[in-house]
Each structure stands twice: as structure tokens, then as C-alpha cells.
Amino acid sequence: MSIVYKEKEEQFHLHTRNTSYIIEVLEGRYPVHTYWGRKLRFTDRTGLVDLREVCSFSPNPLDSNKTLSFDTMPREYPDYGRSDYQSPALSITDSSGSHLIDPVYDSFRIEEGRSLPQGMPGCRLTADDGCDTLVLTLRDSILDLYIDLYYSVSEEYDVIIRRTEIRNCGNKPVTLNKVLSSTVDFYGDSDFEVMNLYGAWTRERQVSRIPIGRSGHLVDSKRGASSHEQNPFLALLRPETDEFSGDVYSMSLVYSGSFMAEAAVNSYGKTRMQIGLQEIDFQWQLEPSGSFTTPEALLVFSPDGLNGMSGIYHRLFRERLCPAPWSKRERPVLMNNWEATYFDFNEEKIKALIDEGHSLGMELFVLDDGWFGRRDSDASGLGDWFTNLQKLPGGLKSLSDYAHRKGMQFGLWFEPEMISPDSDLYRSHPDWCLHVPGRYRSEGRNQLVLDMGRQEIQDYLYCSIAAILSENGIDYVKWDMNRNITEAGSAALPSERQKETSHRYILGLYSLMDRLVNEFPEILFESCSGGGGRFDPGMLYYMPQTWTSDNTDSYERLFIQWGTSYLYPPVTMGAHVSEVPNHQVKRITPIETRGNAAMSANLGYELDLMKLSSEEREKVAKQVEFYKKIRRTIQFGDFIRLLPPSSDRGTAWMTVSDDGAEVLVFYFGHLLRPNDLGCRLKLRSLNTDRLYMTEDGEKYYGSELMYAGISLPPLDCDFDSRLIRLQAI
Ligand code: GLA
């Protein structure tokens, strides 16, 4: 049983395969967090938290117990204003203008399986995954406001999923200013380092790891999207934790909009770790009888270092977050015309690219930006989702038929959430974009953002997109979003609800994506936001892969794919071979290395195939052929990070197929060094007594590969790389 209630001790014990999480109700009133970590066997002990009397700067909220202060108490869901001076999980304003609330333990129930937060994405775990849900209910008796804390606990997937629901059973409205999904207090424990994934456009998901110190660490996005700048994820690690051993406590938010995650230590050495909706961008009017639910937060603990944590997220995301039809389905080798043509294409050019891609073994052609409206540059056309017949006189259908006749699939780019001021849609609906009356409408890439919370806008987009998909034999959609939100106001909301606009935007987006992906379950959807500006679990629930970055340089990609892999498995990452000099950084790298970097995830090509030399053509054809042989392992095997891109020995990672029979080792050199002995790489996760054979017929025992390591052949030039395939015999 994954959830145990100990009545006498008033404790709730949550157990996953390797983890325990314990909550105790203090004084019959306050649920406190007492333990999270390695799985425990437990005697019948109460008072797990030893609260002592502290000075009057930590006031006492209960007359009956002067040792008790919220300042020292590790609360399961902290509020603000009554002696808890850390960042709260909940902040409200009631109809009198007061922000006080006293959520006291009311009741609990245990449900079989789990339900998803209404209208939002989440992990599709069921009772068959050893998943049950504890709902702890707190109540403020003055406001008659209920707070339900949901904990879904999966034995099999080793995860605890939290969310919060607020129900207003009083007769006056309450304003919610902040409602987080998850918060954990580590009582008297501040021996941590904080890790997060930061970046920028073309530099997504770099790794930051620093000691927690004594000030707070805020990781957030206020951009209306999860963002290139920060991923909705935070981890606390022990100073000694590395890729293979040591404790990691992490939270990942299943949400695609503005968010916040925070870790801070208070004066008693109590560390608070939290994640949820961004507060600056949020407010919600909760009417009597109304309820509000947060997105869900995934809590993963690993005693086996960062690879241990990633392994848990990878399996969960592949098998229980991404849409079920795609959880085991191989992804096609694609070619995309963006870096080959940008906006400068016509029917003839596209057909020639399809011919060439087909002859090289590619399986899906993706027509990128520029096929619709009057879209000859990024200055116009967004919102006008009809084919540009001047550019493509035969229409989309003739192109998709052309690809299909060759046995290739045909895909299309959309940027549904945007509107160009120079578009028919804007001319007929100037109030459909996010804006504040009388204020300037800031443009980004010459475009404005549609008010996705409005039903009529969702319906317009659904009808236009669904018509194109069903009439033109579309097999794949790239769903882009190329700017962040400003002036987040809605023409459809009253003044007291204007601060709901950003969250309503995300709910509207989720509703639209839900309709489309359910209507077209056979279409492979890939999300994108100027590359990886919205690479988050919320998007993956609808669309099983994401364009990792607009940066296609194979050296830069090592950093980006390395960082991305902390949470997201290779099958969720789009990775393309592009031309040299690279369009973003002008670097020249060998075609083999560009291939190896892209083959580490979902392989694609994004370059003018017509310009390839015959030698390059041959190499590309071989890459595609080889990738088809190994892609099951790449896309569904266990990915392990070995050597970080910051190391001066090069970058390395490996993948082991789920049956352990195939092992792929990727090694990327950086700059060649004179007088260098080369690199010996120790592999992981092999069977010590099994024999493995390379493509050249060399045999090794697993123990040799893991403990003595494998000698990598010397590299021939800067940015050279090696891909070694081993098969168990
Ligand atoms: C974004 C995407 C690119 C490409 C362009 C088209 O930048 O990330 O891959 O689709 O838009 O405008």
C-alpha cells in the first residue's frame, strides 16, 4: 500500500518504490512535513518534529501552546501573516481586505488511482501503476474556505505528484493572490546545493548549481511561457551528490506559463522548497461555491545522483505524460525546409527537396513558416490560416500527395497563438489580441499575441487548423510560439479579473490543443517556441516532442541537449543536422559530428540538400540508414550522462536498450590538444558478466567496460566525435 494512515500517531506515510514521505498532524490542527527521502521502516513514534520554545520574535499562534510558532514549524502548506515569515504557499485577500487565513486540518480521504486537475495536463497514472491519492483537507472556519492538498503516490514510477485545490464554501468572494502546487520544509536541514536549468534563446537549459547559502534562490518566469530563461524545475542536492550517487530532491511543474520555484533557508536552518504559478502574473476571484485548482508538481527523490533522478523523469514522461499513442511509437527521420529556404520557396523548390530527402532515406518532409496568408517575411500573415496559392499554386494537397506517393509523410508549421497587425484577422478583430485599452501594444518579431482564454478565439483557431489538417493529408504539425507576452489584459474580462488573463491564456491553449490532438490522434505534434522556449511537461502532455533549440551548431547542442536531458528523455527532443558554417554561430564542424549530436535524439535534417557534395550525400544516406537501426534504443532506451560538455576531456553519454542487449556510446571531442593521450571512458549500467561486441568485432565483458573503461580512438580534428555500438552476445 503506497499510502498508510497511522491513526494513533496522526501520521500519513507515503511510500514509492524507493522513497518515503511523512506528514504528521500537530496538536490535531497543523499538518507538518517530517520526512522525505530514502524509504523508511518506521516504529510507532510521534513528535517527529521537536519544536522548542524560541524567543518572542517568533510569535505563538495558539494560546494553549507557547512553544509553537509557525516560524519554526515545517508546515505542509504555509500561509502568511501569523508568524511564518518565509515565502508562503497561499496568499489571499478576503472581502474585508484582510489577508489572514488559518487553514486547520479538517479531514482526509484516500482515493484509488488519481484524477487530473480539471482542464490541465498531468501524468496519466492509474491504480495499475500502484498509484493512489491522499487528499488532506484543511479549512479556515471564518471564511469557510477549504484547501485540498492532493498527493498521488506511485510505487511503480517512484514519484509523488502534488497539487492544491481551493474551494470557497463561504458566502463572500475571496481573492487568491498566490496558490502554489507544492511546498516542502526540510526541518533543521540546510546542507544543500541548488540546481536549476537557465538560459536564453539559442542557449536553453544550461546547468546552474550553487550552494544554498542563507538568502533565497528564486527561479521563475514572468513571460507568460515557461521560457528559454528558466525551466519549471528546481532541485536540492547534497554537496557530495554527482551524476551517479548522492541525494537529489526535485520538483518539476506540469505547466507552460509563468511560474515560480524557490529555495530558501530561514534563521533556524529550515529550508523551504516550493513550486507553482508565478504570483506577479496571477490573481483569481473565487466566488462562493467556486473552486480553483493548481497545476501539478512532480516530486522526485533519488539517492542515486542526478542520473538516478533523470531516469525516473524519463520513464514517467515517456510512458505516462506524453500522449499514449506515442509512448512506444518510433519517430520518423524528418527534413525541414526552414534553414534550407527560410521564406524563399515555391512549389518547385519544395518538390525538389522532397525528391532529394526521399532519395537519402528521410521519412517526413516538414514545410515550415511561410506557406499561408501573405507571409513572405515575419512582418505579416499570422492568423490568416489559408494556403498562399501564389506561392503554392497547386495547394498543400498536391504537395502532400507528392510526398505520400513517394512513401514520405508530410508535415506543416503553424503559429496558432499569434496575430500579425498586418493580417486580415487583425483588420477584422483588432480586440482579439492581449492588450490594455489606451496602452501601446508591444510587438515582438512584428507580432501580437491572441487572447487564448477567449472561447471564440479558440473556436476560430480550431476550425481553421482542423480544416487544413483534414483536407490536406497532414501527418505532422510543428506548433510554434515566437514571442513572450506583454500587456496581459483581456477585452473579455471585467476589471477585477484582469490579472487572471495569463493563467486563462494557458487554460485556453490547453483546451485548444486537447481538442486538436484528440481529433487527430495519428498526427505527430511537435511543440516549439523559438526552439526550446516552452520545453516543459505541460506541452509534452499534448505534444510528445519539442524542437530543442533554434541553435543547430553541434558543439553548442552538446550543452543544450545535456541540460535538457536532466528532465526530458531523448525521444522528446528534436535534433537536426544543419549546414556549415552554422547559421547561428558560424562554426564549422564535421558532418559526422553533426550527425552524432542529432542522432542522440530524434534525428532530422534542416539544410539545403541540393548543396551537398556527393561525398556528403553518401555520408548523410549512411547516417539515416544507421539511425533507423539504432533508433529504438535511442528513443526508448535508458539514457545516461557520462562526461559533461564543461569537461576538458570532451562530452560523453550513452544509451542502453530496455532489454540491455544494445549499448550506444557517444563521445564528442572539443578542441584537439597536442601531445594528448586520448580518453578512456567508463561505461555504466551494464551487466558485469555479459560479453559485449563492437561493430569491429572487439569483445569486452561488462565489468571491463564499466571498471577499466573503453579506450576511445584518437580524434582527427577539432569537434570530431565517435559513436560506438556494442551488442550483447
Ligand atoms: C521559430 C522556430 C524555427 C522556425 C521559425 C519560423 O524560430 O523555432 O524553427 O520554425 O520560427 O519562423
Side-chain angles (χ1 to χ4, degrees):
M1 185 64 185
S2 53
I3 300 170
V4 178
Y5 173 55
K6 297 200 163 194
E7 194 174 353
K8 188 160 61 75
E9 296 85 7
E10 286 207 280
Q11 285 173 1
F12 298 90
H13 291 218
L14 318 183
H15 299 294
T16 70
R17 192 147 36 102
N18 295 307
T19 310
S20 297
Y21 183 113
I22 303 175
I23 304 160
E24 181 172 327
V25 181
L26 268 193
E27 304 272 334
R29 291 173 72 90
Y30 301 118
V32 296
H33 177 79
T34 58
Y35 179 79
W36 181 25
R38 277 178 193 263
K39 198 161 188 163
L40 289 185
R41 282 198 68 190
F42 218 75
T43 50
D44 297 338
R45 202 140 46 83
T46 53
L48 290 173
V49 169
D50 175 21
L51 294 175
R52 313 234 168 107
E53 186 168 4
V54 291
C55 78
S56 56
F57 282 87
S58 299
N60 317 113
L62 268 192
D63 200 28
S64 55
N65 185 345
K66 296 292 186 194
T67 66
L68 195 145
S69 167
F70 293 143
D71 213 5
T72 52
M73 194 189 286
R75 302 169 74 204
E76 213 31 45
Y77 204 71
D79 56 85
Y80 175 73
R82 295 172 314 117
S83 81
D84 187 325
Y85 298 106
Q86 284 187 279
S87 176
L90 178 66
S91 155
I92 61 130
T93 309
D94 71 18
S95 55
S96 77
S98 162
H99 61 261
L100 292 186
I101 181 167
D102 185 15
V104 166
Y105 175 66
D106 178 80
S107 58
F108 79 94
R109 62 178 196 273
I110 295 173
E111 297 172 350
E112 209 182 87
R114 69 183 311 249
S115 54
L116 295 188
Q118 171 114 44
M120 268 189 276
C123 289
R124 306 164 210 260
L125 291 162
T126 65
D128 292 341
D129 301 311
C131 181
D132 293 316
T133 302
L134 167 70
V135 187
L136 271 189
T137 297
L138 318 181
R139 176 171 177 260
D140 179 278
S141 57
I142 293 183
L143 300 175
D144 209 5
L145 197 71
Y146 285 82
I147 298 151
D148 296 322
L149 306 179
Y150 282 75
Y151 303 80
S152 294
V153 185
S154 170
E155 183 95 32
E156 174 61 26
Y157 283 84
D158 226 352
V159 64
I160 297 176
I161 304 177
R162 287 189 60 175
R163 71 179 167 90
T164 306
E165 198 164 317
I166 314 281
R167 289 178 287 127
N168 186 357
C169 296
N171 50 21
K172 302 230 171 75
V174 170
T175 304
L176 306 176
N177 304 315
K178 179 180 185 185
V179 196
L180 295 186
S181 302
S182 171
T183 166
V184 171
D185 277 11
F186 296 83
Y187 187 69
D189 189 355
S190 56
D191 188 22
F192 291 118
E193 294 187 354
V194 187
M195 176 184 165
N196 59 288
L197 301 171
Y198 72 99
W201 174 68
T202 62
R203 277 188 278 118
E204 298 91 336
R205 290 169 299 283
Q206 310 291 309
V207 182
S208 161
R209 179 176 172 171
I210 49 173
I212 194 161
R214 286 285 165 154
S215 53
H217 293 256
L218 177 66
V219 170
D220 75 344
S221 161
K222 304 180 187 76
R223 295 174 168 267
S226 50
S227 85
H228 300 89
E229 280 69 14
Q230 295 288 354
N231 206 255
F233 158 80
L234 186 72
L236 294 181
L237 328 175
R238 298 298 178 192
E240 67 277 10
T241 297
D242 62 18
E243 287 291 345
F244 304 104
S245 65
D247 290 351
V248 185
Y249 300 84
S250 68
M251 292 183 184
S252 152
L253 191 69
V254 187
Y255 192 63
S256 311
S258 301
F259 72 93
M260 58 188 293
E262 207 172 347
V265 181
N266 80 352
S267 45
Y268 299 101
K270 173 159 67 79
T271 303
R272 178 167 294 170
M273 180 188 195
Q274 310 185 301
I275 202 162
L277 294 172
Q278 166 66 246
E279 63 184 314
I280 201 162
D281 213 10
F282 172 81
Q283 207 167 57
W284 203 267
Q285 291 300 116
L286 199 58
E287 297 300 327
S289 308
S291 69
F292 178 83
T293 181
T294 69
E296 59 185 45
L298 313 175
L299 275 65
V300 169
F301 166 78
S302 161
D304 303 319
L306 286 159
N307 272 308
M309 173 195 79
S310 303
I312 296 172
Y313 280 118
H314 286 193
R315 183 164 167 244
L316 182 68
F317 287 1
R318 259 193 333 250
E319 297 177 7
R320 292 293 182 270
L321 179 70
C322 291
W326 295 98
S327 70
K328 295 239 157 32
R329 203 185 291 183
E330 287 182 12
R331 309 301 160 80
V333 177
L334 70 75
M335 57 178 296
N336 175 304
N337 72 308
W338 180 241
E339 286 198 16
T341 65
Y342 295 103
F343 290 105
D344 181 20
F345 62 82
N346 56 29
E347 204 166 286
E348 205 185 318
K349 248 193 201 175
I350 295 301
K351 285 188 172 161
L353 281 173
I354 293 177
D355 290 344
E356 199 61 11
H358 174 251
S359 70
L360 293 169
M362 293 162 199
E363 299 162 308
L364 159 67
F365 179 85
V366 180
L367 181 57
D368 211 279
D369 195 355
W371 58 267
F372 55 89
R374 276 175 294 282
R375 179 87 170 160
D376 295 316
S377 73
D378 62 17
S380 60
L382 292 171
D384 296 341
W385 297 111
F386 48 83
T387 313
N388 181 334
L389 293 173
Q390 267 146 17
K391 237 184 216 177
L392 304 172
L396 288 173
K397 183 76 169 60
S398 82
L399 280 181
S400 83
D401 285 348
Y402 189 77
H404 290 156
R405 276 197 298 276
K406 292 181 177 288
M408 275 179 97
Q409 296 182 314
F410 186 77
L412 216 49
W413 180 96
F414 287 90
E415 196 178 352
E417 301 151 68
M418 298 293 151
I419 181 166
S420 304
D422 182 4
S423 66
D424 292 350
L425 187 67
Y426 191 74
R427 283 181 279 274
S428 26
H429 296 287
D431 72 327
W432 272 20
C433 64
L434 295 173
H435 68 282
V436 174
R439 301 264 177 202
Y440 181 67
R441 302 175 180 194
S442 305
E443 291 178 20
R445 207 193 189 202
N446 309 306
Q447 62 203 50
L448 298 167
V449 184
L450 285 170
D451 182 359
M452 294 298 295
R454 288 170 68 174
Q455 189 62 48
E456 67 271 42
I457 297 177
Q458 293 167 34
D459 291 344
Y460 165 78
L461 291 171
Y462 175 79
C463 293
S464 343
I465 297 170
I468 288 168
L469 300 185
S470 55
E471 286 161 16
N472 296 294
I474 304 301
D475 305 294
Y476 162 105
V477 166
K478 178 174 172 188
W479 184 293
D480 212 338
M481 194 257 191
N482 276 316
R483 60 158 289 180
N484 288 141
I485 285 172
T486 52
E487 294 94 27
S490 170
L493 292 174
S495 57
E496 69 278 14
R497 289 194 180 271
Q498 284 298 318
K499 280 188 85 179
E500 298 179 10
T501 306
S502 295
H503 183 53
R504 286 183 184 274
Y505 177 100
I506 297 294
L507 295 178
L509 168 66
Y510 286 157
S511 165
L512 173 63
M513 292 194 297
D514 201 50
R515 281 163 85 184
L516 284 166
V517 302
N518 286 320
E519 179 72 23
F520 300 96
E522 286 305 312
I523 292 183
L524 172 59
F525 285 83
E526 175 159 343
S527 80
C528 172
S529 174
R534 220 167 40 182
F535 202 141
D536 61 60
M539 293 305 287
L540 286 178
Y541 173 83
Y542 303 97
M543 307 191 171
Q545 57 189 61
T546 303
W547 176 223
T548 312
S549 177
D550 275 350
N551 189 338
T552 56
D553 170 60
S554 61
Y555 174 65
E556 292 280 323
R557 269 298 180 117
L558 301 179
F559 292 84
I560 297 168
Q561 291 176 202
W562 176 276
T564 304
S565 80
Y566 279 99
L567 285 165
Y568 308 101
V571 72
T572 61
M573 297 184 213
H576 300 175
V577 173
S578 62
E579 75 176 30
V580 288
N582 172 268
H583 290 196
Q584 292 78 41
V585 295
K586 312 275 178 271
R587 186 176 286 119
I588 297 180
T589 54
I591 184 91
E592 290 84 354
T593 298
R594 282 176 273 150
N596 287 341
M599 278 199 261
S600 303
N602 292 338
L603 175 65
Y605 288 81
E606 186 167 338
L607 72 175
D608 190 347
L609 298 175
M610 309 310 206
K611 289 197 201 143
L612 292 179
S613 66
S614 56
E615 196 191 333
E616 283 170 330
R617 280 193 91 252
E618 216 172 286
K619 287 181 177 172
V620 166
K622 279 206 176 119
Q623 280 173 355
V624 173
E625 195 189 339
F626 185 63
Y627 184 73
K628 288 178 185 167
K629 290 191 197 140
I630 60 169
R631 79 172 136 194
R632 250 230 93 76
T633 298
I634 297 285
Q635 297 179 356
F636 303 103
D638 292 332
F639 177 88
I640 303 160
R641 288 176 301 275
L642 297 173
L643 265 186
S646 55
S647 120
D648 59 5
R649 295 164 59 213
T651 304
W653 47 62
M654 63 182 282
T655 305
V656 184
S657 62
D658 47 10
D659 60 1
E662 183 171 63
V663 180
L664 301 163
V665 183
F666 291 84
Y667 172 66
F668 301 90
H670 303 155
L671 296 178
L672 278 193
R673 291 189 307 184
N675 213 6
D676 194 7
L677 264 186
C679 180
R680 227 179 145 70
L681 194 65
K682 291 181 181 160
L683 306 188
R684 297 277 172 163
S685 288
L686 304 182
N687 183 330
T688 45
D689 298 324
R690 217 163 163 183
L691 261 183
Y692 296 85
M693 191 166 76
T694 65
E695 300 248 283
D696 304 333
E698 296 242 29
K699 293 182 191 143
Y700 301 87
Y701 278 108
S703 55
E704 275 181 274
L705 293 167
M706 289 199 294
Y707 309 141
I710 183 168
S711 259
L712 293 165
L715 299 175
D716 294 328
C717 60
D718 287 349
F719 309 113
D720 200 2
S721 62
R722 297 287 178 261
L723 166 48
I724 301 165
R725 184 188 193 195
L726 294 151
Q727 268 159 323
I729 49 173

